[in-house]
């Protein structure tokens, strides 16, 4: 089996590194430095998408958006123009399930199979081999790709047919994004009314409001002012926006999702797309008049 990986940024690079522990990879990214990091550990360099398409029968992708995936697969110089029938494309992008299903249908016309397999757990989870992988695929394709994905992490879940991996990833990121904002608001309330941030956190960590985001980021990032994060503000806003759109398209009121979406948009109006997502804590401090994030904070 010849395996290729396209998109070697923060997330894709970590997934490819993990996969490379078990399989030989051919890798491609527009950023030569990203390719170089994998090549230093034995990956084969591809000079173009065409080279990946011609040499690999399983091709994994991790790109910023589904429109990037569409371009890489179906563009004039895309993978579909060269890949042989029977090639399996695995999209690990945090994508739009509607676009994913459309791309899969167009690839099927050329005899190319597609599954979606987005992840949750960040680059650290990928490096540690603990990341969750949620797969949208026909049962036969899930069986075909399962051993490859389990080389990244044993936490591989069959979410349903094509697009369902992206559906559950959007639902997960919507929940994570909302939990982040409620945690920041609760901390701001406590701090503004006389409770020191560290004390409020200690109490909440042993109380009913305890949550994953509070456990992982509040003490280490927000209360220390070290706001650097591997995940960009713009990418989380994109995921919340897509989740709200999916809800609207399926006839659901997205009451809390839309509130979260608007808050992240407000933060985007203050900071850049590429800013670390933790800068939302600064927006929360500004609008609440609190001071949860200390002076001298950094975002780099």
């Amino acid at each position: 089996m010849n395996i290729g990986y396209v998109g070697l940024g923060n997330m894709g690079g970590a997934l490819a590194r993990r996969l490379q522990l078990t399989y030989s990879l051919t890798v491609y990214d527009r950023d030569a430095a990203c390719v170089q990091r994998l090549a230093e550990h034995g990956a084969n360099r591809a000079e173009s998408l065409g080279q990946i398409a011609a040499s690999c029968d399983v091709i994994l992708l991790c790109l910023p958006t589904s429109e990037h995936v569409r371009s890489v697969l179906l563009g004039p110089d895309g993978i579909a123009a060269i890949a042989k029938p029977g090639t399996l494309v695995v999209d690990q992008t945090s994508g739009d399930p509607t676009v994913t299903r459309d791309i899969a249908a167009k690839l099927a016309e050329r005899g190319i199979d597609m599954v979606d397999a987005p992840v949750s757990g960040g680059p650290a989870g990928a490096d540690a081999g603990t990341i969750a992988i949620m797969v949208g695929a026909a049962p036969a394709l899930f069986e075909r790709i399962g051993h490859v994905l389990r080389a990244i992490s044993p936490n591989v879940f069959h979410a349903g047919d094509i697009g369902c991996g992206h559906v559950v990833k959007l639902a997960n990121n919507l929940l994570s994004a909302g939990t982040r904002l409620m945690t920041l608001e609760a901390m701001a309330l406590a701090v503004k009314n006389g409770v020191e941030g560290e004390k409020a956190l200690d109490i909440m960590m042993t109380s009913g409001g305890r949550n994953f985001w509070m456990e992982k980021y509040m003490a280490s990032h927000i209360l220390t002012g070290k706001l650097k994060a591997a995940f960009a503000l713009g990418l989380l806003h994109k995921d919340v926006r897509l989740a709200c759109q999916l809800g609207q398209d399926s006839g659901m009121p997205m009451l809390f999702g839309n509130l979260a979406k608007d808050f992240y948009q407000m933060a985007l109006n203050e900071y850049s797309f590429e800013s670390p997502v933790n800068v939302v804590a600064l927006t929360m401090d500004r609008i609440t008049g609190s001071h949860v994030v200390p002076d001298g904070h950094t975002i780099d």
Side-chain angles (χ1 to χ4, degrees):
M1 179 187 302
N2 296 314
I3 302 177
Y5 210 108
V6 177
L8 306 173
N10 284 336
M11 194 70 251
L15 294 168
R17 283 194 302 274
R18 187 72 190 181
L19 189 56
Q20 195 174 1
L21 297 177
T22 303
Y23 293 100
S24 174
L25 292 183
T26 300
V27 298
Y28 176 77
D29 193 285
R30 292 187 301 177
D31 186 339
C34 292
V35 175
Q36 176 64 22
R37 285 193 285 270
L38 272 293
E40 287 173 356
H41 292 87
N44 302 307
R45 299 170 181 267
E47 301 300 327
S48 66
L49 290 173
Q51 186 177 341
I52 288 272
S55 63
C56 299
D57 41 29
V58 174
I59 302 170
L60 295 94
L61 313 170
C62 189
L63 301 170
T65 72
S66 289
E67 291 307 321
H68 290 93
V69 173
R70 189 195 298 274
S71 177
V72 162
L73 292 174
L74 299 174
D77 301 313
I79 287 170
I82 297 173
K84 59 185 178 294
T87 297
L88 176 57
V89 170
V90 182
D91 182 16
Q92 299 204 278
T93 305
S94 292
D96 181 337
T98 302
V99 176
T100 297
R101 288 163 176 158
D102 180 64
I103 293 171
K106 289 180 169 60
L107 291 178
E109 295 172 358
R110 307 183 189 210
I112 298 171
D113 296 313
M114 182 177 181
V115 306
D116 51 305
V119 300
S120 182
D127 284 330
T130 59
I131 203 161
I133 306 175
M134 45 212 86
V135 184
L141 292 178
F142 179 72
E143 289 300 317
R144 180 179 167 190
I145 197 60
H147 64 97
V148 174
L149 296 176
R150 282 188 287 273
I152 299 173
S153 168
N155 301 317
V156 178
F157 303 92
H158 190 195
D161 209 342
I162 184 71
C164 287
H166 283 148
V167 169
V168 73
K169 177 60 190 291
L170 290 181
N172 176 79
N173 278 20
L174 176 66
L175 180 58
S176 176
T179 301
R180 181 189 308 262
L181 296 183
M182 282 303 304
T183 302
L184 289 170
E185 186 172 80
M187 287 291 293
L189 177 67
V191 169
K192 191 168 185 181
N193 286 277
V195 182
E196 293 181 1
E198 290 79 3
K199 289 182 180 179
L201 178 60
D202 286 345
I203 294 167
M204 291 183 192
M205 283 286 287
T206 57
S207 303
R210 179 175 178 169
N211 60 70
F212 175 84
W213 191 83
M214 178 184 286
E215 293 175 0
K216 190 167 182 180
Y217 296 107
M218 183 58 69
S220 60
H221 291 69
I222 306 306
L223 293 181
T224 63
K226 298 175 182 177
L227 301 181
K228 182 177 180 180
F231 196 36
L233 172 65
L235 289 177
L236 185 55
H237 174 262
K238 178 263 296 183
D239 289 350
V240 174
R241 175 178 55 79
L242 289 175
C244 291
Q245 184 63 53
L246 183 64
Q248 178 179 318
D249 292 346
S250 52
M252 277 186 57
M254 299 295 290
L255 304 176
F256 304 111
N258 278 309
L259 284 173
K261 173 176 65 69
D262 288 346
F263 194 99
Y264 286 103
Q265 180 63 64
M266 186 162 49
L268 268 177
N269 290 344
E270 295 186 85
Y271 302 98
S272 70
F273 186 101
E274 294 79 13
S275 295
V277 67
N278 289 330
V279 297
V280 294
L282 300 176
T283 301
M284 184 67 75
D285 272 355
R286 180 183 61 76
I287 67 172
T288 60
S290 62
H291 198 67
V292 175
V293 181
D295 293 332
H297 60 266
T298 60
I299 63 175
D300 297 321

